[in-house]
Amino acid sequence: MDDYPLLDLFLTMLWFFLWIMWLFLLFKIFADIFRDDEMGGWGKAGWIIFCILLPFLGVLVYVIARGKSMTQRDVKQARESEAAFQDYIRKTAGTAPAAGRGSSVDELARLAELRDKGAITPEEFEKAKAKVLS
């Protein structure tokens, strides 16, 4: 252990960590290239060849040139995934045996949340609750 000082160990770990980060970024860029609907096939092929032949320069240029749209595609995908998940939950909850009760329970929960936030008064909550339960 004497011929490998602690500073060398630290630098080795740093370089390894940076290499892993670069691989992560490279795979994220490849996923973004294939996810982009606006880019044509030749554009995708060009970016992939550029990132394979000159990996560090290709990744750097891609992040500089398309980083903002890359973030927008990530946000769009996250929103679509969340919407699909919420839709799945609604469909699954709607197929339960007490489907009619689920919607009134949801409505009561929403009304209670509005009351707790102060958006409606307790009297308005009671009126709406009576309406939902009738």
Side-chain angles (χ1 to χ4, degrees):
M1 215 41 196
D2 291 333
D3 46 330
Y4 201 69
L6 187 61
L7 182 61
D8 287 347
L9 178 65
F10 174 74
L11 292 175
T12 301
M13 289 173 51
L14 178 70
W15 281 113
F16 181 73
F17 178 71
L18 290 174
W19 181 71
I20 295 295
M21 282 183 12
W22 179 81
L23 279 177
F24 175 77
L25 183 60
L26 182 66
F27 287 124
K28 185 153 180 69
I29 286 173
F30 280 177
D32 185 65
I33 289 171
F34 286 110
R35 179 178 47 197
D36 189 5
D37 294 332
E38 297 173 5
M39 189 186 313
W42 288 108
K44 291 178 183 185
W47 275 113
I48 296 225
I49 290 170
F50 185 40
C51 287
I52 289 174
L53 292 180
L54 299 169
F56 294 108
L57 183 63
V59 166
L60 182 64
V61 170
Y62 188 87
V63 169
I64 290 170
R66 300 182 48 88
K68 186 174 182 179
S69 61
M70 189 174 170
T71 303
Q72 292 169 347
R73 282 187 291 279
D74 278 344
V75 169
K76 179 183 173 191
Q77 182 183 15
R79 285 184 183 150
E80 289 172 356
S81 295
E82 179 66 23
F85 179 69
Q86 292 296 331
D87 187 46
Y88 170 76
I89 289 175
R90 277 189 221 99
K91 286 180 182 177
T92 304
T95 58
R101 298 173 82 198
S103 61
S104 58
V105 169
D106 292 338
E107 184 68 23
L108 285 174
R110 188 180 65 81
L111 286 171
E113 184 178 332
L114 288 172
R115 180 197 60 202
D116 294 341
K117 288 182 180 177
I120 60 173
T121 64
E123 295 81 25
E124 291 172 327
F125 170 76
E126 291 300 326
K127 288 180 186 176
K129 180 174 132 181
K131 187 175 182 182
V132 168
L133 294 176
S134 62

